[in-house]
Amino acid sequence: MRSNIDSFIEATLGINDVGRLKRYFESFLADLGYNIVNYHVLVEGFKSVPLHKGFRLSTFPEGYIRYFIDHKCFEFDPIMDEARRRGGPILWSDIAARPNLTAEQRAMFAAAREHKVTTGAAFSIYGRPGEVAYFCVGSTEREVDFTRAQLLELQAICQQMHLRYTELSGVDGRRKLSRRETEVLELIAQGKSNPVISATLGVSPNTVDTLVRRCFDKLGVTSRVEAALAGVAMGIILP
């Protein structure tokens, strides 16, 4: 356990780019058997952060991310609420089994099951004074029977991820997109496909493919939903 924490800390200290850091974090967790992760900032400067501004990373299934946003689950998610209040690691299954869940919360868990988002753990992470981040780590490929040691290991890894991300984002700032890349990102956020973007901007499909890849690389994301969320969080496009 300790060797995983040490190796993660050592590797992240050698990474000086936010995009690379996020990709390394995803691959490190995947090697441990966790293929989905969500990283969100809840509080900065002792003030709550709006959903669209707090987004940092999510490899959850796109369909579930869209459900979560469209149904404003951020406002009533019992996992997020419990993690924020308790501080220590919590299991999703423990919260899902509660008998007093609201209809909205039960529907949220039903949507999660549809996308195989059923087994995982959540943590509150504390950084600078008045700052709280939130991580969810799990798997859509297997049932995970977390031990206490595994939960504490994951919490330590997430803590280092948040600290290093904060350091790098403060030094790096947001990576600027070109005017054309920003136009592509705006259309991605509107749910437009690559062929539609090609027709709208009057450029070739190959050019659109290249622009989309550049957006993903600069934002450090791997999906269209994540690109849209990152663009809004960084202030590149409007929510």
Side-chain angles (χ1 to χ4, degrees):
M1 294 290 180
R2 182 68 194 180
S3 62
N4 284 333
I5 298 171
D6 289 343
S7 63
F8 183 77
I9 291 174
E10 183 178 358
T12 55
L13 291 177
I15 295 174
N16 294 302
D17 175 85
V18 168
R20 283 185 55 218
L21 178 68
K22 290 164 72 173
R23 289 190 290 272
Y24 176 73
F25 180 54
E26 292 174 32
S27 67
F28 191 89
L29 290 178
D31 287 343
L32 294 179
Y34 311 110
N35 71 324
I36 53 174
V37 58
N38 181 68
Y39 168 28
H40 206 95
V41 174
L42 300 179
V43 179
E44 283 184 327
F46 298 98
K47 295 181 179 179
S48 295
V49 178
L51 172 63
H52 65 277
K53 286 293 185 182
F55 172 83
R56 296 294 180 268
L57 167 69
S58 182
T59 60
F60 277 53
E62 287 196 27
Y64 183 66
I65 296 175
R66 290 188 183 279
Y67 179 93
F68 197 91
I69 294 171
D70 292 344
H71 291 80
K72 299 182 179 180
C73 297
F74 185 81
E75 297 176 359
F76 56 81
D77 182 350
I79 299 175
M80 187 176 291
D81 182 60
E82 183 68 15
R84 185 171 179 173
R85 288 192 297 107
R86 189 188 301 183
I90 63 169
L91 299 178
W92 304 351
S93 56
D94 289 345
I95 308 301
R98 288 179 174 176
N100 60 341
L101 295 176
T102 66
E104 288 177 318
Q105 290 167 340
R106 288 195 297 272
M108 185 194 82
F109 282 115
R113 288 192 294 273
E114 289 178 9
H115 292 91
K116 300 183 179 179
V117 180
T118 58
T119 176
F123 318 86
S124 281
I125 301 296
Y126 303 93
R128 295 170 296 194
E131 182 178 82
V132 181
Y134 170 75
F135 284 81
C136 272
V137 177
S139 175
T140 59
E141 299 172 346
R142 66 188 181 97
E143 289 295 321
V144 182
D145 186 14
F146 293 97
T147 66
R148 179 66 175 170
Q150 287 173 323
L151 290 171
L152 293 176
E153 176 190 46
L154 284 171
Q155 188 168 27
I157 289 169
C158 291
Q159 179 75 54
Q160 171 61 14
M161 173 61 184
H162 176 64
L163 293 174
R164 190 61 180 148
Y165 184 97
T166 301
E167 290 173 352
L168 292 180
S169 60
V171 172
D172 224 12
R174 71 181 185 223
R175 298 185 66 180
K176 294 285 187 179
L177 300 186
S178 69
R179 178 184 61 82
R180 185 62 92 184
E181 289 164 354
T182 301
E183 291 174 343
V184 168
L185 182 60
E186 288 173 341
L187 292 169
I188 287 174
Q190 294 170 22
K192 306 300 184 184
S193 65
N194 280 15
V196 172
I197 294 174
S198 174
T200 301
L201 298 181
V203 298
S204 71
N206 286 341
T207 298
V208 173
D209 289 343
T210 299
L211 290 169
V212 170
R213 285 198 301 272
R214 286 178 183 171
C215 286
F216 281 20
D217 181 59
K218 289 185 178 182
L219 297 173
V221 302
T222 57
S223 74
R224 300 171 83 86
V225 171
E226 197 180 2
L229 291 171
V232 171
M234 293 179 183
I236 300 172
I237 59 176
L238 296 175

